[in-house]
Amino acid sequence: MKKKALLLLMALSMAVSLTACGKKEAPAAPEAGTEANAGAGTENEQPAEEAGEKIEIGKIVTVLPNVRGDGGTHDLACRASESIAESIGAELDIVELGTAVTDSAKWEAAMCDLCEAGYDLIITGGSLMKDTIQTVAPMYPEMPFICYDVSLDFDTADMANVYSMDFYQNEAAYMAGVIAANMTESNYIGFVGATKIPVIYDFMVGFIAGAQEVNPDIKVAVAFTNDFNDATLAKELALAQITDGADVLYPACGNAAAGVYEAARDKDVRAIGNDQDVASKYAQSDETIQKIILASVMKKVDNAVTSAYERYVAGELPFGSQETVGVAIDGAGVVKNEYYEELPDEVKDMVAEYEQKITDGTVKVPTALGMSPEEIDEIINSAQ
């Protein structure tokens, strides 16, 4: 396998513009299928293949609206891409659009270049890529896109060549709540969120629901940084919760979560990692923090991307649609590793029990998406 790391910043050519993007002729229109999800577009067979024809993948490109090393979804997508390419002997390019590039027109021009560069598959994702995908993908209807951690609008853009997935973060947070309620000694746990937006509320609602399922009388402190990067403020909020009695903390505040983990370490309480395998991360850099991480929950982007690729080559991927993946297909949930194995057996048994209940539909995890402010306040108040 040939791998190249490409850093596409301003050097992508100032002369390239969206007007330079070619538009390939679309293949014969496929028959409309069923909807893969509510609000999704039509389901299609592979965008550039005749029915039953073997799909040949020689070159793959993974496009990041960031750089590698985020420790989260983009690194997981790269991990999956590398594994796929290695397994089939394909060439893989990883294109880092970089944090310095904020002009969407340059991203769109870069994506147009990639669509014309002879790749057989584009893997990309993240909410920042939404506009770029929705602009460029319709121009290249024969180019298949597998998109992760982004919710696309298939009602307004003709993207029969695009499959998109997002994740049930509320289910991952629910499992964090199950673990926290089992491991607390004070019957008081804490949540530190970032901005008060639906996706962060979704983490909070799932966390509270999981904890209350185990113990209806548990108290959950709730605080918000209103910032994804202010680790100092996150630490102050976490320390206040600890002072008030919380002994297991769960953050959903991006990079600011580092402050929550530091507070837990400094006050000798526990935390549950979010968005990445936090224990493994700190095992390499700060074992004092690694030791207070009970477990981590995350969007398992690597599993989901690999599953999407396998469905693609099997002719089963519902292009032209959006799907949400979660605990049922191991697309979100608890990280099972050597650190998780240190939890008491009865806790791991309960985790397995609720994973099964979510999978078979016995448990329906509530979501903040679509909730009114009053409904969200009611959930917060129910745990005070």
Side-chain angles (χ1 to χ4, degrees):
M1 176 187 70
K2 178 182 177 185
K3 292 191 297 181
K4 297 184 292 183
L6 305 178
L7 182 58
L8 280 173
L9 296 173
M10 307 304 289
L12 274 170
S13 169
M14 297 299 293
V16 179
S17 68
L18 282 176
T19 57
C21 292
K23 181 171 182 177
K24 296 185 179 180
E25 293 298 320
E31 295 182 4
T34 59
E35 289 189 353
N37 228 12
T42 57
E43 177 181 338
N44 302 305
E45 296 299 325
Q46 319 316 334
E49 306 292 336
E50 296 296 331
E53 184 179 343
K54 183 178 179 181
I55 298 173
E56 299 282 347
I57 304 291
K59 291 182 66 179
I60 301 170
V61 61
T62 297
V63 188
L64 312 179
N66 204 324
V67 295
R68 295 193 71 172
D70 72 323
T73 56
H74 299 309
D75 280 357
L76 292 171
C78 289
R79 181 188 304 173
S81 301
E82 289 169 337
S83 178
I84 290 166
E86 184 174 3
S87 70
I88 63 176
E91 178 180 340
L92 171 66
D93 290 341
I94 295 175
V95 176
E96 301 170 294
L97 294 177
T99 56
V101 180
T102 56
D103 186 338
S104 62
K106 293 183 176 66
W107 285 18
E108 290 162 8
M111 188 68 82
C112 285
D113 285 348
L114 294 171
C115 286
E116 296 178 358
Y119 293 104
D120 302 305
L121 175 64
I122 292 177
I123 298 172
T124 188
S127 60
L128 294 177
M129 286 296 290
K130 178 176 180 176
D131 290 342
T132 298
I133 295 165
Q134 293 188 167
T135 298
V136 176
M139 299 178 182
Y140 299 89
E142 294 185 347
M143 174 60 69
F145 284 73
I146 291 177
C147 303
Y148 61 87
D149 200 24
V150 59
S151 181
L152 301 179
D153 190 349
F154 286 88
D155 291 330
T156 60
D158 182 7
M159 298 181 288
N161 54 324
V162 176
Y163 166 77
S164 180
M165 72 186 91
D166 55 5
F167 297 83
Y168 288 121
Q169 61 267 339
N170 59 321
E171 292 186 355
Y174 184 94
M175 300 311 302
V178 168
I179 294 171
N182 271 281
M183 296 300 294
T184 180
E185 296 180 359
S186 65
N187 200 35
Y188 188 8
I189 60 180
F191 173 85
V192 178
T195 53
K196 296 178 180 180
I197 58 175
V199 67
I200 299 301
Y201 278 133
D202 210 28
F203 280 108
M204 181 200 73
V205 166
F207 181 63
I208 292 174
Q212 290 179 329
E213 177 67 23
V214 174
N215 181 354
D217 298 322
I218 197 166
K219 289 184 63 179
V220 185
V222 173
F224 296 90
T225 63
N226 295 314
D227 187 283
F228 282 89
N229 296 298
D230 192 341
T232 300
L233 177 56
K235 184 172 183 177
E236 291 174 0
L237 295 173
L239 287 171
Q241 292 180 346
I242 295 167
T243 298
D244 202 36
D247 62 354
V248 180
L249 307 181
Y250 174 61
C253 50
N255 292 332
V260 176
Y261 305 137
E262 290 173 4
R265 175 200 59 195
D266 293 351
K267 295 299 182 179
D268 195 26
V269 299
R270 298 301 189 96
I272 297 175
N274 194 30
D275 282 342
Q276 57 183 299
D277 185 349
V278 174
S280 293
K281 172 187 175 181
Y282 281 107
Q284 307 301 318
S285 60
D286 189 338
E287 289 189 355
T288 64
I289 292 181
Q290 177 264 307
K291 292 181 185 303
I292 59 90
I293 303 297
L294 290 169
S296 294
V297 297
M298 61 190 290
K299 302 171 184 177
K300 300 183 181 181
V301 172
D302 50 348
N303 292 353
V305 168
T306 300
S307 175
Y309 169 78
E310 291 171 348
R311 293 164 69 195
Y312 170 46
V313 296
E316 299 170 354
L317 193 64
F319 281 95
S321 70
Q322 180 83 34
E323 290 187 320
T324 305
V325 299
V327 168
I329 67 163
D330 200 25
V334 181
V335 178
K336 307 289 181 63
N337 56 15
E338 64 269 31
Y339 307 109
Y340 172 78
E341 290 302 322
E342 294 176 4
L343 289 175
D345 288 342
E346 58 269 25
V347 177
K348 291 183 289 185
D349 289 344
M350 186 168 286
V351 166
E353 175 187 346
Y354 280 99
E355 287 174 338
Q356 184 58 47
K357 287 182 175 181
I358 293 172
T359 299
D360 64 26
T362 304
V363 166
K364 299 289 188 183
V365 179
T367 176
L369 306 183
M371 278 188 179
S372 67
E374 292 76 17
E375 289 172 318
I376 291 172
D377 287 341
E378 185 177 344
I379 288 174
I380 295 173
N381 292 334
S382 73
Q384 303 306 301

